[in-house]
Amino acid sequence: MIEFLLDHDTAGDPITGMKWSRRTTAKIAMALGDFGIAVSPNTVARLLHQMGYSLRVNHKELPTSSSPDRNDQFLYIGDLRDRFRRQGHPIISVDTKKRELVGRFNNPGTRWDLTPRLVNDHDFRSDATGVAIPYGIYDLLANRGSVAVGVSHDTPAFAVHSIARWWRQEGIGRYPRSRQLLILGDAGGSNSARTRTWKTELQSQLADSLGLILTVAHYPSGASKWNPIEHRLFSEISKNWAGEPLTSYQKILNFIRSTRTQTGLSVSAHLDRRHYPTGVEPTHSQLQSLRLKPHQDLPKWNYTISPNL
């Protein structure tokens, strides 16, 4: 019965005979339950081991850089999160997931299957249908994720447009009385603490257009894995599509939308076909209209942006 369930989810090494699957033991146990077979995930793991299956993953846990203010920033972010949670204001963690080539390319990961999926032997951009740039917003209080899949470039305009759409589609419905928003992000990328365009886009697209007071806190360089979106949303998406060639945008959206956890996580996703040019710098008037107030504690990473009245 297990082999039947894993018919399309199992891969194997023809040299060693090792087999693996993208399904977790918990999901296999739930599928068996649909056939009236009550079994625990631990029993499934034992049976899979007897059948020659093995599970192998990498663990990204080694920081490549550090800052003398690292611990102080962690403590400050913790205080901000506690304050916003007590007051019932929304807290979102944002970041861009790794860019994916759309097509029959190798997708790292483990999965149970009887036959391997054939993919291209090289990852050439010219062989791709396009690129998928997933920008994620994770709502910490609601345990909900939202992902905008871009097809152009990972820019501050794309990042902030994704957050603004999330607020209009989901955030304002969950927090109708709140006009304050805490944004947690990395120190680099499209939401970099040093990028002026990120801040002017927050001003125009979120603060001015939506009337939100934005408190922004960045995790120190080399500490992106502590950003909640990494281990609460992106890791779950990666596990859900592990080992699956991402052959179309629709398939990517389906995998993101079907991501679930036992803690109740659910995820929405949409395709953003807009073109976001790179190298765009804010104009003088945009910089003049920026109502940014650095915090007294570690102002290079923490600031508040208020609407222009």
Side-chain angles (χ1 to χ4, degrees):
M1 176 60 71
I2 291 181
E3 287 188 346
F4 170 74
L5 289 174
L6 302 180
D7 183 31
H8 297 293
D9 298 310
T10 301
D13 186 337
I15 304 300
T16 64
M18 184 181 296
K19 295 183 292 184
W20 58 93
S21 169
R22 70 179 183 87
R23 290 203 192 188
T24 65
T25 54
K27 290 183 178 179
I28 296 172
M30 291 176 60
L32 289 171
D34 294 338
F35 289 90
I37 302 174
V39 62
S40 71
N42 289 338
T43 300
V44 170
R46 178 173 52 82
L47 293 174
L48 290 173
H49 181 72
Q50 293 174 357
M51 295 164 59
Y53 287 88
S54 297
L55 189 62
R56 298 289 185 269
V57 297
N58 294 325
H59 295 275
K60 292 186 177 181
E61 298 179 351
L62 302 178
T64 57
S65 61
S66 184
S67 165
D69 299 320
R70 175 189 175 105
N71 188 61
D72 290 339
Q73 180 64 359
F74 280 139
L75 294 175
Y76 189 69
I77 289 177
D79 291 341
L80 286 174
R81 290 173 60 172
D82 288 343
R83 175 161 61 85
F84 271 72
R85 182 179 288 107
R86 287 195 306 269
Q87 296 173 351
H89 295 310
I91 308 168
I92 60 173
S93 171
V94 300
D95 196 13
T96 307
K97 200 177 187 301
K98 181 178 73 70
R99 187 183 76 158
E100 304 286 350
L101 292 177
V102 182
R104 195 163 290 280
F105 299 98
N106 180 52
N107 187 13
T110 59
R111 57 193 181 96
W112 305 104
D113 209 341
L114 294 176
T115 57
R117 306 289 178 90
L118 300 181
V119 297
N120 299 342
D121 55 356
H122 290 86
D123 295 342
F124 294 134
R125 173 65 178 86
S126 57
D127 294 330
T129 304
V131 296
I133 305 169
Y135 191 85
I137 298 101
Y138 176 68
D139 183 339
L140 274 69
L141 300 186
N143 191 26
R144 295 290 183 269
S146 176
V147 179
V149 179
V151 302
S152 176
H153 302 286
D154 181 23
T155 69
F158 167 58
V160 178
H161 184 271
S162 303
I163 300 172
R165 188 184 190 279
W166 166 81
W167 178 258
R168 292 188 180 98
Q169 298 290 326
E170 302 181 34
I172 195 171
R174 293 187 197 131
Y175 310 97
R177 298 182 179 179
S178 181
R179 285 299 175 264
Q180 294 193 50
L181 174 64
L182 173 59
I183 302 175
L184 307 176
D186 293 347
S190 57
N191 45 239
S192 170
R194 296 183 177 181
T195 303
R196 296 185 303 173
T197 310
W198 157 253
K199 296 169 184 175
T200 55
E201 291 292 340
L202 286 175
Q203 182 73 61
S204 62
Q205 292 198 54
L206 284 178
D208 293 347
S209 297
L210 302 177
L212 293 172
I213 300 173
L214 311 172
T215 299
V216 185
H218 296 268
Y219 284 87
S221 300
S224 62
K225 296 306 174 186
W226 277 262
N227 195 355
I229 195 172
E230 296 287 347
H231 52 273
R232 296 189 186 180
L233 178 60
F234 286 167
S235 63
E236 301 300 334
I237 294 173
S238 295
K239 286 190 287 186
N240 199 36
W241 70 27
E244 284 283 346
L246 304 176
T247 53
S248 69
Y249 286 112
Q250 190 58 52
K251 188 173 184 179
I252 291 172
L253 293 174
N254 289 342
F255 271 118
I256 295 173
R257 291 166 180 162
S258 63
T259 300
R260 297 286 188 275
T261 66
Q262 291 185 345
T263 59
L265 172 70
S266 64
V267 189
S268 62
H270 72 278
L271 190 65
D272 186 346
R273 294 190 177 276
R274 293 176 179 81
H275 176 68
Y276 296 94
T278 59
V280 177
E281 291 294 330
T283 64
H284 178 72
S285 61
Q286 287 176 318
L287 293 174
Q288 287 293 106
S289 67
L290 185 58
R291 292 193 61 198
L292 183 148
K293 181 180 180 181
H295 293 189
Q296 290 185 348
D297 295 294
L298 300 169
K300 62 181 178 181
W301 289 324
N302 307 295
Y303 48 90
T304 296
I305 298 177
S306 302
N308 283 297
L309 302 178

